[in-house]
Amino acid sequence: NGVLDAKEGHSKLRSLLSDLHHEGILTGVSTYSGVEGKNCSMALNFSWGGNSDATEETFSAKQLVENVLTHKKESVKYVSLGSLNTVNGLYNESFIFRENINQVVWSSTNTMNDDNFNYSLDTKAFDCIASKTNLTIKLITSNDSDLSYNPHLIGEIKEIGNAYANKVHASLRMNQSPFANTLFDECVAIYLKDESLFTIDTTFQYIEYRIKTSDMSILSNTIIGLLQGYSGNQNQVFEEFPSDTFNYRNDIQQIMVSTIDNFGIEEWIAGVMANELHRHLGVYAIIGTKMGMRAREYFGAGVDEMQIISYTGNTPPFSCMNDGLQVSTGATIGHGLIKVSSDTVKLPEAQFMYMGRKITVALKDKYRQRIEREINEYRLVYGLSSEIYWEMVRMAALNYWANWDRHEIFLIKQ
């Protein structure tokens, strides 16, 4: 409970995640007492997502956090954008929480009084957590001069044009509250991205991280980068992945800009790498790339975090998907994260496992049938040994790469 009632907030969050194609991200509802939801009009009236019927298994806060801590191998940061009520409840009730969480990143102002919304929601919870010697509160705040989104930055956010930026831009156009355009919880995202933008003060019961500058333009690049989905240079060989169309073959140049605009830079990079690995522009290598990206998106998973069972077999054309699956997810044979099922029936589908859950993603029949129809036609007319046949296959692969939306072509089964 906070700006919204917990159940209301959960419903809105589920619809937002559905709209953003992150249906598999786990969510839960806190049942700890001591805080009443305010149901502020701005949050109630804002269109979080269009799918009000979006559902996923609902957990309690304790179930959700313990599930994450059980399945995650790396360290976990706990971020609180509201009161410390849930943190306090978890600390008191969950052994695995106490054993694994040693710091809480808290969005708050630095004055502990009634003017501090997140503090005043549950002052007792703050007092309890602040007294724990094995749990550090990292309080993230802007500086004393209010930082606000200016018209120039709002215009830049609009120009990004992706689903995340569009949603934030829509929120910035709501002016019913004097705090509508003020930087607040975003400070946590900025902190997690670039801690150097903050000063550190250790004189309190908590460690205060305060934004150094009152110049919003200094923060703009970080905010724009976050909304663009830039997660830093993850290349192992390239200092920078080739982004100039001049570096690509002529037919690739023709689809490059629109494909990146439509499906994002990460899918583009995975597609390029998969086809280089595959040694020709392969139809099912592209399908495998889009499938792996869709599964990662569904779970909100990073690279090298999923296990895959592929049902494509080891014989083309379906087996070509395996190259795309490996590149787009990082679940490579070398990492031991992918295996090909020995089932006799070969299908363009795969099972993805993440944090104790699994889904099966399959290419829809109408798309599979279209591929078969087109490729068979090329084979009958030109023959497999003909250079024209492979040119036609390349053209088909380019078409699927540029025009087939990963959100439309797959069926996801839980």
Side-chain angles (χ1 to χ4, degrees), residues 249-311:
R249 293 182 180 273
N250 289 337
D251 55 357
I252 303 293
Q253 291 181 22
Q254 295 174 30
I255 70 164
M256 179 177 175
V257 175
S258 62
T259 304
I260 293 173
D261 287 345
N262 290 334
F263 308 129
I265 186 63
E266 196 167 4
E267 184 185 298
W268 174 259
I269 291 173
V272 171
M273 299 297 288
N275 281 293
E276 290 293 355
L277 169 68
H278 198 58
R279 301 312 298 159
H280 73 264
L281 208 64
V283 169
Y284 275 103
I286 290 294
I287 298 301
T289 299
K290 289 180 178 284
M291 182 181 287
M293 290 297 303
R294 182 66 185 97
R296 280 184 54 206
E297 185 178 52
Y298 177 91
F299 284 127
V303 175
D304 305 339
E305 292 186 350
M306 296 187 298
Q307 292 179 303
I308 301 175
I309 299 175
S310 168
Y311 296 104

Side-chain angles (χ1 to χ4, degrees), residues 252-396:
I252 303 293
Q253 291 181 22
Q254 295 174 30
I255 70 164
M256 179 177 175
V257 175
S258 62
T259 304
I260 293 173
D261 287 345
N262 290 334
F263 308 129
I265 186 63
E266 196 167 4
E267 184 185 298
W268 174 259
I269 291 173
V272 171
M273 299 297 288
N275 281 293
E276 290 293 355
L277 169 68
H278 198 58
R279 301 312 298 159
H280 73 264
L281 208 64
V283 169
Y284 275 103
I286 290 294
I287 298 301
T289 299
K290 289 180 178 284
M291 182 181 287
M293 290 297 303
R294 182 66 185 97
R296 280 184 54 206
E297 185 178 52
Y298 177 91
F299 284 127
V303 175
D304 305 339
E305 292 186 350
M306 296 187 298
Q307 292 179 303
I308 301 175
I309 299 175
S310 168
Y311 296 104
T312 64
N314 292 302
T315 304
F318 291 160
S319 63
C320 300
M321 276 181 48
N322 295 327
D323 289 347
L325 287 171
Q326 291 181 85
V327 171
S328 59
T329 65
T332 64
I333 293 172
H335 286 157
L337 295 175
I338 186 171
K339 67 178 182 178
V340 179
S341 171
S342 59
D343 290 356
T344 56
V345 178
K346 311 304 179 187
L347 299 167
E349 66 179 58
Q351 185 180 87
F352 299 85
M353 289 152 284
Y354 178 69
M355 288 178 59
R357 296 178 299 147
K358 59 186 177 182
I359 57 171
T360 299
V361 184
L363 183 66
K364 291 179 179 177
D365 285 344
K366 68 176 183 178
Y367 294 99
R368 176 183 56 78
Q369 291 164 1
R370 176 175 168 181
I371 292 172
E372 290 177 355
R373 185 173 63 250
E374 292 184 357
I375 299 303
N376 284 336
E377 182 179 329
Y378 302 152
R379 180 175 56 82
L380 290 171
V381 173
Y382 304 108
L384 287 173
S385 61
S386 167
E387 289 186 10
I388 298 177
Y389 167 81
W390 291 105
E391 289 175 6
M392 297 302 291
V393 170
R394 182 180 176 90
M395 289 176 62

Side-chain angles (χ1 to χ4, degrees), residues 6-7 10 27-31 58-61 64:
K7 291 183 178 179
H10 182 263
T27 57
V29 176
S30 177
T31 57
T58 301
F59 297 87
S60 70
L64 174 62

